[in-house]
Amino acid sequence: MISSFNPVTGLLSALDLLQISQSGAVLHVRLNRPAKRNAISDTLIQQLHTCFINLPEGVKAAVVSGEGPHFCAGLDLAALVERDIHSAVLHSRMWHAAFDAIQFGAVPVVAVLQGAVVGGGLELASSCHLRVAEDSAYFGLPEGQRGIFVGGGGSARIPRLIGVARMTDLMLTGRVFDADEAQQMGLVNYRSADGTGLARGLALAERIATNAPISNFAVMHALPRIADQAQSEGLFTESLMAAVAESTPEAQLRLRAFLEGRAGKVVKS
Ligand code: 1HE
C-alpha cells in the first residue's frame, strides 16, 4: 500500500479478495488473490461489483491493480467445470454487471498492468478508462484453447479498442503479445518500467480527479455512446452533453477563473 493511502472502512473493508485504500479523491482497488494469480471467482467478481457501486464519499477517480507478479489470470477455471447452460448465461451477465459498474460508473478508472493480463483479466482491463502497462505485462485471449468464448464483455469492449480484425487474430491463434505491441494496438495508453506502474497510475488518477466531475462523466458516458451512434445522432448527443456541462456552476467558475488570469494555461510540459 502506498504510504498516504489508508484502508477504507465500512462496507468495502469487508471485501476480502480486494484490498481497498483511499487517499483524498483517489481510490486504489487491488485484486488480492495472488496465490491464484488474481483469477476471478464468483466472489471476486461480486466484490468488484459491490465496490464500484458503493464508492466512498469524495472519490473522484480510481485505480485497479493486482497483487503479486500478475495482474489477473482471468476467469477462475476451477469454477467453470460442471456449470449448466442457464447458470453459464447468468454467470456471464454477472460479469457484465460488474464491468459495466466500472466502465459506466461514477468515476474514471485507471488499470495498472503487470505480468499476465489474460482472458477475463484483459476484459477487466478493457472496462477501465485508461491502461498503464509495466514492461513485464503480457496479454492474450486463451479462451479458444480452453474451449470457451469471452463472457465478461470482451467481445464488445476489446474490438472497440483494437478492432475486430485484431481481436479475431488474438482469439483464433491464442497468441501472447507484449506491452509494446499492446501500446501499438491502442490497448495500452501508458508504458512504465517494472515497479513504477502503480505510482504512474495513481498520479494519472490524481490528475483526473481534478477535472470537473461533469466533464469526466461526459467522457465516460457520452463519448462511447456517441462513438456507437450514427454521426447525425452523435452530433446531437454532443450538443446536449456540451450544453449540460457548460451550464453547471463549476464550469462557470472555471471559465471565469481563466478569463481573470487565475487558471493555468495550456502549455507544453
Ligand atoms: C488458476 C488460474 C485460473 C492460475 N483459474 N486457477 N485463464 C487462463 O487460461 C490462464 C491460466 N493461468 C496461467 O496460464 C498461469 O497460471 C499464469 C501464466 C497466469 C501464471 O503462471 P504461474 O506459473 O505464475 O502460476 P501457476 O502455478 O500456473 O498458478 C498458481 C496457482 O493459481 C495454481 O493453483 P495451485 O492451487 O496449484 O497453487 C493455478 O492452478 C492457479 N491459477 N490461473 C484457476 N485462471 C468471463 S469469461 C473469461 C474467460 C477467461 O478468462 S479464459 C482464460 C483463463
Side-chain angles (χ1 to χ4, degrees), residues 205-248:
E206 265 167 34
R207 183 175 173 160
I208 290 165
T210 66
N211 295 336
I214 191 72
S215 300
N216 284 344
F217 174 88
V219 171
M220 295 167 62
H221 290 262
L223 198 57
R225 291 185 169 91
I226 290 169
D228 283 346
Q229 289 175 342
Q231 183 159 325
S232 171
E233 284 74 19
L235 292 174
F236 187 68
T237 307
E238 179 188 87
S239 296
L240 297 180
M241 189 68 244
V244 169
E246 275 163 37
S247 61
T248 57

Side-chain angles (χ1 to χ4, degrees), residues 33-37 39-40 69-70 72-79 91-92 95 116 118-121 123 138 141-143 146 148-153:
R33 211 187 168 214
K36 295 289 180 188
R37 308 305 184 251
I40 302 177
H70 299 287
C72 176
L75 171 68
D76 186 329
L77 295 169
H91 176 262
S92 170
W95 280 54
V118 298
E123 295 181 291
Y138 64 92
L141 290 168
E143 281 82 350
R146 308 283 180 231
I148 57 176
F149 187 59
V150 283

Side-chain angles (χ1 to χ4, degrees), residues 32-113:
N32 195 21
R33 211 187 168 214
K36 295 289 180 188
R37 308 305 184 251
N38 299 319
I40 302 177
S41 59
D42 287 2
T43 307
L44 180 48
I45 199 77
Q46 284 161 358
Q47 292 191 3
L48 277 168
H49 191 200
T50 301
C51 173
F52 280 95
I53 61 172
N54 292 285
L55 292 176
E57 193 84 12
V59 168
K60 293 185 174 166
V63 169
V64 171
S65 70
E67 178 67 25
H70 299 287
F71 173 68
C72 176
L75 171 68
D76 186 329
L77 295 169
L80 200 65
V81 185
E82 292 175 11
R83 183 173 276 146
D84 68 33
I85 191 164
H86 187 208
S87 48
V89 174
L90 294 178
H91 176 262
S92 170
R93 298 299 292 159
M94 183 167 73
W95 280 54
H96 291 169
F99 291 172
D100 268 6
I102 295 176
Q103 183 180 4
F104 298 115
V107 303
V109 182
V110 181
V112 174
L113 310 172

Side-chain angles (χ1 to χ4, degrees), residues 24-39:
V26 175
L27 193 74
H28 178 199
V29 180
R30 199 195 299 259
L31 310 179
N32 195 21
R33 211 187 168 214
K36 295 289 180 188
R37 308 305 184 251
N38 299 319

